Amino acid sequence: MADPTAQATTTLDALPIGIDGLVVLIVYLLGIVGIGFWGRAKRKEESLSDHYLAGRELGFFVLLLTLFATQYSGNTLFGFTAKSYRMGYAWIMSVHAMTAVVVGYLLFAPALHRQSRDRNYITPADYLHDRFNSRAIRLVCALIMIFATANYVYAQLKVMGIAVTGLTGGRIDPIYGVVGLAVVMILYETLGGMRSVAWTDAIQGLLLLLGFTLLVILVMRQHGTLAEAAVHIREHSPEKIAVPNATRCAHWFSMVLLIGLGASVYPHAIQRIYAAKNPRILRKSLKVMAFFPFVTTLIVLVVGLIALRAHPDLDHQSTERLLAIICGDLAGSGSLGYWTVIVILAAIMAALMSTADSALLSLSSMATKDLYGTFLNPTADEQKLTRIGKSVSWVVLALLVWLSSYEDLTLVQLLEVKFEVLLQVVPAFYLGVHLPRLKGGPVLLGMLVGLGLAITLLVIGIKTIDGVHAGVVALAANTITVLVGHALGSRQTVAAPG
Amino acid sequence: MSSDPSPKTKRLSIWFWLLMGACLVCAIPWYRETGAQDPIVFGMPIWAITALVSGLGISVLTAYALHVVLQDEGEDPDG
């Protein structure tokens, strides 16, 4: 049997992206920067609402595509293809998980949107501070979300390195790819804030949909149908097509909760809820979003399964580059395949940048408003906060670019570690919206219990318990703490004289 | 600072919850014999098709709930 790593490297080296393809990609990137200038021209005032929420005027088309492009990231393309290859059909759990995100929105987004307009919220922690009248909850929530978004941006940067190196056949070092794309991203973000980010997301979202569609059509044309792959999988890896065992089913359920609940409280997703022009547009966008997993994650699953037949025996590390390997196959299959790879490459860059820019913008808003504006300089005016926010974006991005050349976690591991922590703010939002008498004390205690338990389990090396993620176990402890505290508080209130 | 946290929502019918419950139960193949090799249809084993159809059902029901139920009071129907 051939050395699979050598096989992957050979495939990558053979990827023939020519000057014409590179020119198209550079024009695309310059066009994205152009949108940054457009966003700056459309700016109405130097305020936090205008910079971070596009003046709360996002319409249906832009809101839908920015929600989509933000939710489907580099992890969806690279990490999920790899996971599908490694796990087999049970990775259908990723389709369920992405659907669960919209179910999560259904449970709290419309109410949160209404309150955000009434109370002029900018960051997610604005809502919690207002709802529970607690600076401590704002601080803990902001720190959790800043960690999660920094992790998210970092993951996207890592994929940028893999993508650029893989898709240029190893001719460009990962760090140059990361720096180049990061510079484009920070330029248009600084110029136009959320307005630029949302409009570039809209274009990138369309490109992503086109890329997903072309990918599955061309892969099937080149490597055969899913039916042929299924026969191969049954013969060579029967465990990947058989009914999964109880532990895998528990993991499935846990993954749906982990991603469904965790991604619904992404700070950049919550800020898009705030930025929707009206409730009708928000609901309409979410309705369409409910069906996107079937044209995105399902396609990625199918591509990973077909790759099991086309490239059997890849080792764990090589599977992380599976999409690049598949693109290498397509690029060498004629001019249609070649130009499709250019579109897919642009879609990959789109997925990476649209997610990273949104998370970075959100991180900047939280560091500026929740930390600096609340605790360090409460008298700072909006113009000053906006200026500081832009500087924070540059500093954080530079730091994460530097860090991206270190660490050796796989992409889905990165995603899961982020969600373990982010999940601990879920009860504050979900229960905060639905339990009018819920007080801040139990919420803060629950958040700290959940956070402490999640970190402890991860530090001592327990990532799952019988297939259930540590973060989901911690979320259960968190939620029970909040509900018990709420019940005890309600009883004392009833028992109090007068 | 405080705000009214209670959303204005209509109630969902019992059929909605029954259908959603059925989709949730069928979505993960916990009820099947571990390791069973199902017949393949369109490149998918039956258990995987059941999981996908259940997931699609959850999407349809979620879109229905967003469309019909969560109508905020005082909202301009034309947006």
Side-chain angles (χ1 to χ4, degrees):
Chain A
M1 186 188 301
D3 173 14
T5 311
Q7 183 187 2
T9 309
T10 308
T11 310
L12 292 173
D13 288 344
L15 190 63
I17 298 292
I19 296 297
D20 49 359
L22 288 175
V23 167
V24 169
L25 290 175
I26 289 168
V27 168
Y28 164 68
L29 290 174
L30 289 175
I32 294 287
V33 175
I35 291 174
F37 282 100
W38 175 85
R40 185 176 178 79
K42 288 284 180 183
R43 187 182 55 181
K44 290 179 179 166
E45 57 189 12
E46 190 77 356
S47 70
L48 292 172
S49 175
D50 198 76
H51 185 70
Y52 289 117
L53 301 179
R56 300 177 201 271
E57 289 179 344
L58 292 187
F60 168 67
F61 177 75
V62 178
L63 181 67
L64 171 67
L65 289 173
T66 188
L67 277 168
F68 166 64
T70 301
Q71 186 173 326
Y72 292 86
S73 64
N75 278 318
T76 319
L77 284 163
F78 276 84
F80 283 21
T81 319
K83 198 79 176 183
S84 165
Y85 182 97
R86 294 196 294 262
M87 189 182 283
Y89 284 82
W91 191 238
I92 285 173
M93 68 177 73
S94 65
V95 179
H96 288 170
M98 288 304 195
T99 308
V101 179
V102 186
V103 178
Y105 288 144
L106 165 69
L107 297 176
F108 78 102
L112 188 61
H113 174 261
R114 184 165 54 86
Q115 290 174 52
S116 76
R117 294 190 84 83
D118 293 345
R119 311 288 295 178
N120 201 28
Y121 301 147
I122 302 291
T123 67
D126 274 345
Y127 163 71
L128 296 183
H129 190 172
D130 187 35
R131 168 69 181 80
F132 298 110
N133 194 20
S134 167
R135 282 156 57 95
I137 290 181
R138 179 194 277 270
L139 178 65
V140 175
C141 171
L143 290 176
I144 288 174
M145 288 187 156
I146 285 172
F147 167 79
T149 45
N151 179 316
Y152 207 25
V153 177
Y154 170 75
Q156 303 310 309
L157 294 175
K158 267 189 81 76
V159 186
M160 284 180 194
I162 294 172
V164 172
T165 302
L167 293 166
T168 57
R171 283 174 288 182
I172 297 180
D173 190 77
I175 194 65
Y176 295 122
V178 172
V179 170
L181 294 181
V183 166
V184 170
M185 200 173 73
I186 194 74
L187 267 178
Y188 67 72
E189 180 173 316
T190 306
L191 286 167
M194 170 73 102
R195 201 166 275 112
S196 298
V197 167
W199 270 97
T200 53
D201 281 358
I203 291 166
Q204 290 166 341
L206 284 175
L207 206 53
L208 258 176
L209 283 174
L210 181 65
F212 274 120
T213 310
L214 288 175
L215 179 67
V216 74
I217 291 171
L218 273 263
V219 165
M220 282 194 182
R221 215 176 74 161
Q222 177 145 2
H223 292 306
T225 62
L226 183 60
E228 291 168 304
V231 172
H232 174 90
I233 294 167
R234 175 158 286 174
E235 197 173 320
H236 295 90
S237 314
E239 75 286 356
K240 291 182 179 173
I241 198 168
V243 174
N245 62 24
T247 305
R248 172 78 25 109
C249 287
H251 185 74
W252 187 324
F253 180 67
S254 176
M255 179 69 87
V256 170
L257 287 181
L258 187 80
I259 295 183
L261 294 175
S264 69
V265 293
Y266 272 152
H268 42 291
I270 288 178
Q271 287 184 305
R272 274 153 182 74
I273 292 168
Y274 291 172
K277 193 172 183 179
N278 61 47
R280 182 172 166 270
I281 282 172
L282 176 65
R283 283 202 318 273
K284 203 169 152 189
S285 301
L286 294 181
K287 273 190 282 183
V288 179
M289 281 282 288
F291 297 95
F292 271 156
F294 294 90
V295 290
T296 50
T297 28
L298 182 57
I299 283 179
V300 170
L301 170 81
V302 169
V303 169
L305 293 173
I306 290 175
L308 269 167
R309 176 168 174 261
H311 292 279
D313 306 323
L314 292 182
D315 66 8
H316 187 90
Q317 202 57 38
S318 300
T319 58
E320 292 289 310
R321 296 171 185 270
L322 182 61
L323 190 61
I325 294 169
I326 292 168
C327 286
D329 299 341
L330 298 182
S333 67
S335 63
L336 177 62
Y338 175 77
W339 286 105
T340 301
V341 168
I342 300 298
V343 172
I344 293 170
L345 178 53
I348 289 169
M349 290 198 294
L352 297 169
M353 290 198 295
S354 59
T355 304
D357 61 13
S358 306
L360 185 66
L361 189 71
S362 191
L363 192 158
S364 150
S365 70
M366 292 185 291
T368 307
K369 187 149 194 285
D370 294 333
L371 300 184
Y372 180 80
T374 302
F375 295 99
L376 298 177
N377 188 1
T379 58
D381 62 24
E382 293 229 346
Q383 284 188 352
K384 183 171 185 179
L385 288 176
T386 308
R387 278 199 307 277
I388 288 174
K390 290 177 182 176
S391 307
V392 166
S393 290
W394 282 82
V395 171
V396 169
L397 189 62
L399 190 67
L400 292 174
V401 165
W402 176 68
L403 278 175
S404 70
S405 53
Y406 296 97
E407 197 65 63
D408 193 29
L409 288 170
T410 68
L411 299 172
V412 171
Q413 278 175 323
L414 274 175
L415 190 76
E416 289 174 1
V417 169
K418 169 193 64 186
F419 280 130
E420 309 284 356
V421 174
L422 186 59
L423 267 186
Q424 307 316 319
V425 303
V426 164
F429 284 94
Y430 280 62
L431 298 179
V433 161
H434 291 289
L435 296 178
R437 294 182 181 171
L438 180 63
K439 302 285 186 208
V443 170
L444 180 61
L445 184 62
M447 216 184 276
L448 293 173
V449 166
L451 195 58
L453 185 56
I455 292 172
T456 304
L457 288 172
L458 291 173
V459 166
I460 61 177
I462 300 177
K463 290 181 180 169
T464 59
I465 297 172
D466 290 334
V468 178
H469 295 84
V472 175
V473 174
L475 173 65
N478 178 344
T479 307
I480 289 167
T481 304
V482 175
L483 291 176
V484 168
H486 174 58
L488 290 176
S490 300
R491 187 177 295 175
Q492 282 172 358
T493 306
V494 171
Chain B
M1 291 189 292
S2 67
S3 62
D4 172 21
S6 58
K8 309 282 188 200
T9 58
K10 297 175 186 173
R11 285 190 178 278
L12 290 157
S13 75
I14 185 72
W15 288 108
F16 173 89
W17 292 111
L18 284 175
L19 282 171
M20 184 63 103
C23 288
L24 290 172
V25 167
C26 296
I28 302 175
W30 58 271
Y31 49 87
R32 295 292 315 279
E33 181 193 350
T34 298
Q37 294 286 353
D38 283 3
I40 296 170
V41 181
F42 300 119
M44 293 259 176
I46 297 291
W47 66 263
I49 289 178
T50 309
L52 279 175
V53 170
S54 302
L56 188 61
I58 292 169
S59 293
V60 170
L61 290 168
T62 303
Y64 167 79
L66 282 160
H67 180 73
V68 173
V69 179
L70 291 169
Q71 301 283 341
D72 282 14
E73 283 188 355
E75 179 188 337
D76 175 7
D78 298 323

